């Protein structure tokens, strides 16, 4: 199980909500790359992360080819 739920990203700037959104999208894209080659994770939780449309699209493409993952939140 990999739980990344409720992650908060910040570098201390006043624009942390925008920064969080940017980091979440980049993180989702990287996570999708990892999920495409996943051979052991059966559950991933990224709930309450603002991954945006680009991040969701990347995750969706990874889930289409991942045959090991059983639960994704």
């Amino acid at each position: 199980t990999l739980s990344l739920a409720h992650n908060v990203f910040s570098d201390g700037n006043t624009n942390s909500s925008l920064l969080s959104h940017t980091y979440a999208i980049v993180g989702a894209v990287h996570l999708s790359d990892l999920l495409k080659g996943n051979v052991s994770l059966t559950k991933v939780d990224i709930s309450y992360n603002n991954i945006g449309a680009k991040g969701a699209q990347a995750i969706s493409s990874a889930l289409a080819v991942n045959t090991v993952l059983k639960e994704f939140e």
Side-chain angles (χ1 to χ4, degrees):
T1 301
L2 174 64
S3 179
L4 300 172
H6 298 283
N7 278 299
V8 178
F9 298 97
S10 177
D11 68 354
N13 290 333
T14 56
N15 295 327
S16 62
S17 63
L18 177 59
L19 186 62
S20 295
H21 180 69
T22 302
Y23 282 152
I25 291 169
V26 170
V29 171
H30 288 296
L31 178 61
S32 73
D33 290 339
L34 294 173
L35 290 176
K36 288 176 184 173
N38 172 48
V39 294
S40 59
L41 281 175
T42 58
K43 180 178 180 181
V44 173
D45 182 356
I46 62 164
S47 57
Y48 301 101
N49 283 281
N50 188 10
I51 64 171
K54 185 175 181 179
Q57 185 176 27
I59 294 291
S60 176
S61 70
L63 294 177
V65 298
N66 185 304
T67 59
V68 178
L69 201 60
K70 303 298 179 206
E71 294 180 56
F72 189 84
E73 297 179 40

